[in-house]
């Protein structure tokens, strides 16, 4: 229960709600998003009193998206919801902000402290007297929580939460009970601004890291800079631009980093996203001997399905909480201080020019005569020519998110998208928040690109834009359904269709003044070109929409007898190339006939170890099989397209941005054992020689650790069923070349087995069956073996390989032990 502070004890009494909102004003918030509810109504009365604007959204989810977009422009934002129903409605948006490092202050009006203490059966609760359950749901998507249930602590907690939100660039959660709103706290604190400065690095550690970075930077022959989202989120773009301009190094961005750097600079080369990169970019980045990676978020979409081919041995990672130079990590050293000193000390560098991004339209796409349909290859460069300095560009999770990679921005353009979280419908709410922030900071032009499917999820926020007098330009791309989902699965399935709306009417439906709004319909290249050339349209005098429709409508309202989820063949208008697996996707399972590599890792580091192994294996695959990989990269699977109006164009464009069809020689398989991983290998990779080469090279540089999470590697020449018959087949195939071919010398051998999640074959049974299969005249020798037989049994499969006499010398293929050997007692096993 809240207890008062005596007013006589306060020099300048101020209500808790007023203190909170004045602190928001102090850090730059001017518009507060949210939805009113009975647990926050009294608190909302304080918003206009302190010079803030109550936005008032159509629903809490939209409000959360809007707060996210607002924060990406203003640096921080605030949203107010009500207990239970309101805060849970916004939780998806808050999770997205947490995922993508966006600082949002989430304020929840809650029942009184007395009601909570007594466990009263109130509305908006679960009816069990538990008032902590919703806060618990938000705990893992908030970097700090402040429960304002005591006036003695309220001001301190408010200041703490706001500082953490700013410094960590993630959401915070503040509860404001109804009986705390008007409690008094010390207003004198408001005379001292919240300290929003980042903690300084320890000077000695920082200087050491700078020295290490400069050593590799000066030695590099063709370094490049790669900028990602966290460079913007953690506010180091000033240092990044100074580094780019003074070093003159080729600079690239990731999809999430789009708009983080000035793309008008002569050294800007485009978007790097592995196999999804702009032309020439992938080759330049992946051939670099040193990549200065700033603020990386290596998610699936941001890396085009984990198709990066960048070795950690040629990478320096700059992050908000650590620096990683090759495989050496320096925790607690922030990138801001390091970048400043690197800029001062770098001097002249070796610079090899890279590709230059542009907005030129390919010759094949320049024809605008007749009824030329709008293609992605034409639209995005043409849109880039139309953009203005300082624009804010929002792209929805969908084709626009990928298409924008092909656009080179003018100076000062800010890009907003949700590449990591990827919640469809996000962009409309984010557009409202960004447009409001733009209005507050100088009325920058705000441009939104959204597909019709995403548009239908959050369209109500158009109403808020109109009410707030915002002036976005909204391009609605009408694909008659969920296009990205079609290309993932269900090209012709009904579940990827949507009801067709009269999109040209939506602005008027939400009550916009016809004199202060306008809608355009665009179907061809010429119409789009004319729209871009329209000076009135480009000046963005009020809210405008451009409805980009097909030249021919897709048929709707169809069923097919007993199966309404499929279109009749006569109605199929979409065609898709054969499905393609990206080079680093997970293989489905381990099957008899496979070969591969088992690996062990540190506890709870399976994901990070998988990434390390991908890099390591890809490096060695390129080293050992360069000709094969080069040949594979030129191969493309082709799917049949139907050349009918916009359908064929979309097929062609999607094929153009799809990932390479190179099938990885080594692919991870998802398994359910902690600390254990499996990678399936394809011909010509021979697991035993492949792993031996890795370990032999590691032994040559023992003491200089290059991997952090990887432990033992166990090559498997062949996989079979984990039955006596299956083991017999594997044994015959694997042992024959070593023991049973004419001319084989007599061998001394040993057997080592490992059995996981399997109960049928016991270790003794396996050892006896394998030893019998080897047979005489070969003999067992546990210590002085010529060949060692490794047997791994997992669930319903078993694998086997034969390794050489240096297995124990190479620390049983344990990379952690090779790099950092520790004495261990030997275990003798047959």
């Amino acid at each position: 229960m809240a207890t008062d502070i005596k007013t006589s004890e306060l020099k300048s009494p101020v209500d808790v709600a007023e203190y909170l909102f004045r602190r928001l004003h102090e850090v730059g918030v001017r518009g507060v998003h949210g939805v009113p509810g009975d647990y926050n109504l009294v608190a909302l009365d304080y918003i206009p009193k302190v010079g803030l604007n109550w936005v008032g959204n159509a629903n809490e989810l939209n409000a959360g998206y809007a707060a996210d977009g607002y924060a990406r422009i203003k640096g921080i934002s605030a949203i107010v919801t009500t207990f239970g129903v309101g805060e849970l409605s916004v939780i998806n948006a808050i999770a997205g902000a947490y995922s993508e490092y966006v600082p949002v202050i989430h304020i929840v009006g809650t029942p009184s402290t007395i009601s909570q203490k007594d466990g009263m059966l109130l509305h908006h609760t679960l009816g069990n007297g538990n008032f902590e359950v919703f806060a618990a749901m938000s705990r893992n998507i908030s970097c700090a929580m402040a429960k304002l249930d005591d006036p003695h602590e309220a001001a301190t907690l408010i200041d703490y939460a706001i500082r953490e939100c700013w410094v960590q660039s993630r959401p915070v959660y503040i509860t404001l009970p109804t009986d705390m709103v008007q409690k008094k706290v010390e207003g004198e604190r408001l005379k001292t601004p919240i300290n929003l400065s980042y903690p300084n690095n320890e000077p000695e550690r920082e200087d050491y890291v700078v020295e290490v970075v400069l050593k590799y930077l000066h030695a590099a022959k063709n370094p490049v800079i790669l900028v990602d989202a966290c460079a913007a989120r953690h506010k180091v773009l000033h240092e990044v631009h100074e580094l780019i301009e003074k070093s003159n190094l080729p600079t690239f961005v990731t999809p999430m980093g789009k708009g983080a750097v000035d793309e008008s600079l002569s050294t800007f080369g485009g978007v790097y996203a592995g196999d999804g990169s702009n032309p020439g970019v992938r080759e330049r980045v992946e051939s670099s001997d040193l990549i200065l990676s700033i603020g990386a978020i290596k998610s699936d979409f941001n890396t085009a399905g984990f198709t990066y081919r960048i070795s950690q041995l040629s990478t320096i990672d700059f992050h908000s909480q650590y620096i990683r130079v090759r495989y050496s990590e320096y925790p607690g050293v922030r990138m801001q201080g390091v970048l400043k000193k690197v800029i001062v000390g770098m001097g002249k560098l070796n610079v090899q020019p890279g590709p230059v991004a542009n907005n030129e339209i390919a010759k094949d796409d320049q024809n605008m005569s007749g009824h030329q349909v709008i293609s992605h290859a034409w639209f995005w460069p043409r849109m880039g020519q139309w953009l203005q300095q300082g624009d804010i560009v929002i792209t929805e999770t969908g084709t626009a998110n990928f298409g924008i990679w092909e656009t080179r921005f003018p100076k000062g353009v800010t890009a907003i998208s949700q590449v990591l979280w990827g919640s469809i419908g996000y962009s409309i709410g984010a557009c409202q928040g960004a447009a409001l922030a733009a209005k507050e900071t100088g009325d920058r032009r705000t441009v939104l690109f959204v597909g019709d499917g995403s548009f239908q999820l959050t369209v109500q926020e158009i109403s808020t834009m109109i009410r707030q007098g915002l002036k976005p330009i909204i391009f609605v791309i009408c694909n008659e359904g969920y296009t990205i989902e079609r290309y993932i699965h269900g090209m012709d399935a009904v579940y990827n269709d949507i009801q067709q709306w009269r999109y040209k009417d939506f602005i008027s439906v939400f009550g916009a003044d016809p004199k202060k709004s306008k809608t355009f319909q665009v179907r061809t290249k010429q119409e789009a070109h004319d729209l871009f050339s329209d000076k009135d349209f480009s000046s963005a005098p009020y809210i405008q929409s451009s409805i980009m429709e097909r030249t021919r409508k897709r048929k709707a309202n169809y069923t097919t007898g007993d199966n309404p989820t499929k279109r009749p063949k006569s109605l199929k208008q979409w065609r898709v190339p054969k499905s393609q697996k990206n080079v680093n996707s997970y293989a489905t399972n381990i099957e008899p006939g496979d070969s591969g590599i088992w690996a062990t890792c540190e506890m709870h580091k399976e994901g990070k170890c998988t990434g390390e192994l991908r890099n390591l294996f890809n490096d060695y695959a390129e080293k050992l099989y360069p000709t094969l990989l080069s040949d594979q990269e030129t191969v493309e699977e082709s799917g049949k397209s139907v050349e009918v109006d916009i359908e064929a164009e979309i097929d062609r464009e999607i094929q153009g941005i799809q990932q390479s069809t190179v099938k990885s020689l080594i692919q991870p398989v998802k398994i359910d054992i902690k600390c254990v991983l499996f990678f399936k290998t394809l011909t010509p990779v021979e697991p035993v020689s492949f792993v031996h080469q890795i370990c032999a090279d590691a032994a040559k540089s023992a003491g200089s650790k290059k991997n952090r999470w990887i432990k033992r590697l166990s090559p498997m020449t062949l996989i079979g069923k984990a039955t006596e018959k299956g083991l017999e087949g594997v044994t015959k195939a694997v042992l024959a070349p070593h023991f049973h071919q004419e001319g084989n010398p007599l061998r001394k051998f040993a057997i080592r087995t490992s059995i996981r999640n399997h109960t049928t074959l016991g270790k003794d049974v396996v050892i006896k069956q394998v030893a019998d299969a080897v047979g005489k005249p070969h003999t067992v020798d546990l210590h002085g073996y010529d060949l060692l037989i490794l047997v791994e049994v997992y669930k319903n499969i078993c694998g086997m390989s034969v390794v050489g006499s240096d297995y124990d010398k190479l620390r049983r293929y344990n990379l952690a032990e090779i790099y950092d050997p520790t004495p261990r007692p030997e275990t003798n096993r047959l």
Side-chain angles (χ1 to χ4, degrees):
M1 182 175 121
T3 57
D4 293 345
I5 302 175
K6 292 182 180 179
T7 304
S8 59
E9 297 177 1
L10 303 173
K11 294 181 180 179
S12 180
V14 62
D15 292 356
V16 169
E18 181 177 346
Y19 184 95
L20 171 58
F21 290 125
R22 285 178 64 178
R23 282 303 202 193
L24 295 184
H25 190 281
E26 175 191 307
V27 296
V29 174
R30 293 297 179 270
V32 178
H33 292 87
V35 176
D38 56 348
Y39 292 128
N40 66 30
L41 291 175
V42 176
L44 298 184
D45 290 337
Y46 288 82
I47 288 177
K49 293 179 182 178
V50 301
L52 296 177
N53 168 44
W54 172 248
V55 178
N57 299 90
N59 59 58
E60 289 88 354
L61 179 59
N62 287 2
Y65 292 151
D68 182 302
Y70 184 95
R72 296 190 193 218
I73 302 301
K74 291 292 293 285
I76 198 166
S77 68
I79 178 173
V80 180
T81 64
T82 195
F83 180 74
V85 294
E87 61 180 307
L88 293 191
S89 291
V90 78
I91 202 166
N92 171 31
I94 297 298
Y98 185 89
S99 170
E100 302 221 350
Y101 289 92
V102 181
V104 177
I105 300 168
H106 182 196
I107 302 163
V108 181
T110 67
S112 69
T113 57
I114 297 174
S115 299
Q116 294 186 49
K117 181 182 178 182
D118 293 344
M120 296 181 67
L121 190 61
L122 300 179
H123 62 286
H124 298 344
T125 71
L126 299 180
N128 59 4
N130 185 352
F131 289 87
E132 299 296 320
V133 62
F134 306 129
M137 293 179 186
S138 290
R139 182 167 287 108
N140 288 328
I141 54 172
S142 306
C143 70
M145 303 188 77
K147 296 183 179 180
L148 309 183
D149 52 11
D150 185 345
H152 295 84
E153 299 176 348
T156 300
L157 290 174
I158 289 169
D159 292 355
Y160 160 76
I162 293 175
R163 171 176 164 74
E164 291 303 302
C165 184
W166 179 271
V167 172
Q168 295 194 44
S169 193
R170 273 181 158 163
V172 295
Y173 178 90
I174 299 175
T175 59
L176 181 58
T178 55
D179 59 344
M180 280 290 296
V181 171
Q182 297 175 318
K183 297 292 185 184
K184 303 297 182 182
V185 295
E186 182 55 77
E188 283 292 303
R189 294 175 60 103
L190 293 169
K191 295 179 180 180
T192 304
I194 299 172
N195 178 13
L196 300 179
S197 62
Y198 294 101
N200 293 324
N201 293 325
E202 181 183 328
E204 191 173 90
R205 297 180 70 189
E206 181 178 271
D207 289 342
Y208 176 77
V209 174
V210 170
E211 182 181 344
V212 174
V213 171
L214 288 175
K215 181 183 81 170
Y216 287 106
L217 186 55
H218 289 145
K221 301 300 182 185
N222 60 340
V224 300
I225 298 170
L226 180 61
V227 182
D228 209 336
C230 280
R233 305 292 196 273
H234 294 290
K235 304 172 179 65
V236 296
L237 291 185
H238 174 76
E239 289 79 10
V240 168
H241 280 95
E242 191 174 0
L243 175 66
I244 294 170
E245 293 174 14
K246 290 190 175 181
S247 70
N248 207 35
L249 292 176
T251 300
F252 307 90
V253 296
T254 67
M256 287 185 72
K258 182 71 175 165
V261 304
D262 180 359
E263 298 187 9
S264 68
L265 293 171
S266 60
T267 54
F268 178 73
V271 174
Y272 174 70
D275 289 350
S277 303
N278 294 156
V281 171
R282 175 185 159 194
E283 294 77 9
R284 180 64 183 88
V285 172
E286 294 177 359
S287 66
S288 172
D289 60 351
L290 184 66
I291 298 160
L292 303 180
S293 173
I294 305 174
I297 299 178
K298 296 179 182 178
S299 68
D300 50 359
F301 282 4
N302 206 31
T303 61
F306 303 114
T307 57
Y308 272 24
R309 289 183 178 84
I310 298 175
S311 172
Q312 189 60 45
L313 288 173
S314 59
T315 304
I316 298 178
D317 289 305
F318 297 85
H319 288 281
S320 60
Q321 297 297 333
Y322 67 92
I323 306 295
R324 183 185 294 124
V325 182
R326 304 178 84 184
Y327 283 103
S328 299
E329 188 169 304
Y330 303 94
V333 181
R334 298 177 57 86
M335 60 180 163
Q336 193 167 39
V338 173
L339 285 171
K340 288 179 179 179
K341 291 185 177 179
V342 167
I343 292 165
V344 172
M346 67 183 174
K348 187 176 181 180
L349 304 175
N350 294 313
V351 178
Q352 296 292 331
V356 177
N358 60 64
N359 286 318
E360 295 178 4
I361 299 171
K363 289 183 179 180
D364 292 345
D365 290 292
Q366 291 179 0
N367 183 15
M368 293 193 296
S369 62
H371 297 284
Q372 287 289 321
V373 296
I374 300 170
S375 65
H376 286 277
W378 179 88
F379 180 76
W380 296 107
R382 179 63 184 89
M383 191 273 291
Q385 299 169 11
W386 170 75
L387 287 177
Q388 300 175 4
Q389 183 171 321
D391 280 349
I392 299 170
V393 179
I394 303 106
T395 52
E396 178 58 67
T397 300
T399 55
N401 244 1
F402 296 99
I404 201 69
W405 300 359
E406 306 300 323
T407 300
R408 183 174 186 174
F409 290 158
K411 184 176 183 179
V413 170
T414 300
I416 296 177
S417 63
Q418 204 182 49
V419 175
L420 178 55
W421 187 245
S423 182
I424 62 173
Y426 160 83
S427 67
I428 300 180
C431 178
Q432 182 266 293
L436 180 63
K439 180 180 179 181
E440 294 173 1
T441 56
D443 221 13
R444 298 165 63 186
R445 198 171 66 163
T446 306
V447 184
L448 167 65
F449 296 92
V450 59
D452 50 357
S454 297
F455 184 80
Q456 292 194 7
L457 269 73
T458 50
V459 66
Q460 310 98 311
E461 217 48 41
I462 301 295
S463 175
T464 308
M465 298 180 197
I466 295 169
R467 185 161 55 86
Q468 291 292 332
L470 307 180
K471 301 181 291 184
I473 298 175
I474 302 170
F475 289 86
V476 182
I477 304 169
C478 295
N479 288 322
E480 300 179 15
Y482 301 119
T483 303
I484 292 296
E485 283 76 4
R486 290 190 197 280
Y487 280 90
I488 294 172
H489 182 76
M491 174 58 69
D492 300 301
V494 171
Y495 50 71
N496 282 327
D497 293 332
I498 58 174
Q499 173 64 32
Q500 294 307 295
W501 289 2
R502 292 194 294 271
Y503 294 100
K504 64 183 178 62
D505 297 332
F506 75 82
I507 289 182
S508 60
V509 165
F510 287 117
D513 184 341
K515 297 180 181 179
K516 296 181 180 180
S517 61
K518 200 164 186 179
T519 296
F520 302 84
Q521 287 183 283
V522 173
R523 294 185 178 87
T524 66
K525 289 181 181 177
Q526 187 61 55
E527 291 174 349
H529 175 78
D530 292 344
L531 183 63
F532 285 137
S533 302
D534 186 327
K535 292 183 178 179
D536 289 338
F537 170 76
S538 300
S539 67
Y542 35 64
I543 186 170
Q544 300 176 100
S545 65
S546 171
I547 312 304
M548 302 179 66
E549 296 181 328
R550 297 171 180 271
T551 55
R552 195 173 79 184
K553 294 290 185 181
R554 182 191 299 279
K555 295 181 181 180
N557 299 325
Y558 40 75
T559 59
T560 55
D562 296 331
N563 187 1
T565 64
K566 291 290 183 182
R567 300 166 186 258
K569 290 184 178 180
S570 61
L571 295 180
K572 287 187 177 180
Q573 297 185 19
W574 289 78
R575 297 293 185 271
V576 63
K578 295 178 182 178
S579 63
Q580 301 170 352
K581 295 181 179 179
N582 76 60
V583 300
N584 280 325
S585 62
Y586 281 88
T588 54
N589 48 38
I590 310 171
E591 299 175 344
D594 286 342
S595 61
I597 302 168
W598 287 100
T600 59
C601 66
E602 297 282 353
M603 180 68 75
H604 305 307
K605 300 299 181 183
E606 292 84 357
K608 291 185 177 181
C609 186
T610 299
E612 272 195 348
L613 286 166
R614 275 192 177 118
N615 289 334
L616 179 66
F617 290 162
N618 283 339
D619 286 347
Y620 271 85
E622 290 177 4
K623 176 181 176 181
L624 298 175
Y625 317 108
T627 304
L628 176 69
L629 287 174
S630 177
D631 291 344
Q632 279 190 330
E633 287 173 1
T634 65
V635 178
E636 291 187 1
E637 294 185 59
S638 61
K640 295 182 179 180
S641 299
V642 177
E643 296 184 1
V644 289
D645 57 69
I646 193 69
E647 315 289 1
E649 289 293 329
I650 290 178
D651 276 353
R652 185 169 66 85
E653 296 307 323
I654 292 293
Q655 290 181 56
I657 64 174
Q658 277 181 329
Q659 301 161 358
S660 168
T661 60
V662 181
K663 191 170 185 180
S664 178
L665 297 177
I666 306 174
Q667 292 180 298
V669 178
K670 291 185 178 179
I671 59 176
D672 57 358
I673 309 178
K674 292 182 179 179
C675 306
V676 180
L677 310 168
F678 184 81
F679 278 72
K680 184 181 294 190
T681 59
L682 302 177
T683 304
V685 176
E686 196 290 300
V688 173
S689 60
F690 188 80
V691 169
H692 184 273
Q693 184 69 56
I694 292 172
C695 295
D697 289 348
K700 294 175 184 177
S701 57
S704 177
K705 190 173 183 179
K706 296 180 177 63
N707 307 106
R708 184 171 182 186
W709 312 114
I710 305 170
K711 288 190 173 182
R712 175 170 289 122
L713 301 177
S714 298
M716 292 289 109
T717 301
L718 183 64
I719 302 290
K721 291 184 178 180
T723 62
E724 291 189 17
K725 186 174 181 180
L727 178 60
E728 178 184 356
V730 170
T731 300
K732 286 182 179 180
V734 174
L735 298 185
H738 303 281
F739 296 99
H740 302 143
Q741 289 184 354
E742 186 176 349
N744 282 144
L746 295 180
R747 305 281 196 179
K748 292 180 288 185
F749 70 94
I751 304 168
R752 296 184 187 172
T753 64
S754 174
I755 299 178
R756 303 182 180 93
N757 293 16
H758 178 85
T759 58
T760 303
L761 294 176
K763 184 174 291 188
D764 292 341
V765 172
V766 171
I767 290 174
K768 184 178 185 306
Q769 186 169 338
V770 174
D772 289 346
V774 174
K776 296 180 179 181
H778 306 292
T779 58
V780 174
D781 190 326
L782 300 181
H783 302 289
Y785 58 81
D786 300 311
L787 296 174
L788 175 67
I789 303 168
L790 301 179
V791 184
E792 297 272 349
V793 181
Y794 166 67
K795 286 191 174 180
N796 62 344
I797 56 98
C798 65
M800 183 182 298
S801 63
V802 179
V803 299
S805 59
D806 60 353
Y807 180 74
D808 286 299
K809 183 180 178 181
L810 290 176
R811 312 297 292 188
R812 301 179 184 177
Y813 293 173
N814 189 321
L815 288 179
E817 286 291 306
I818 293 174
Y819 288 126
D820 186 18
T822 56
R824 291 187 181 182
E826 292 294 324
T827 301
N828 297 330
R829 291 179 288 175
L830 177 65

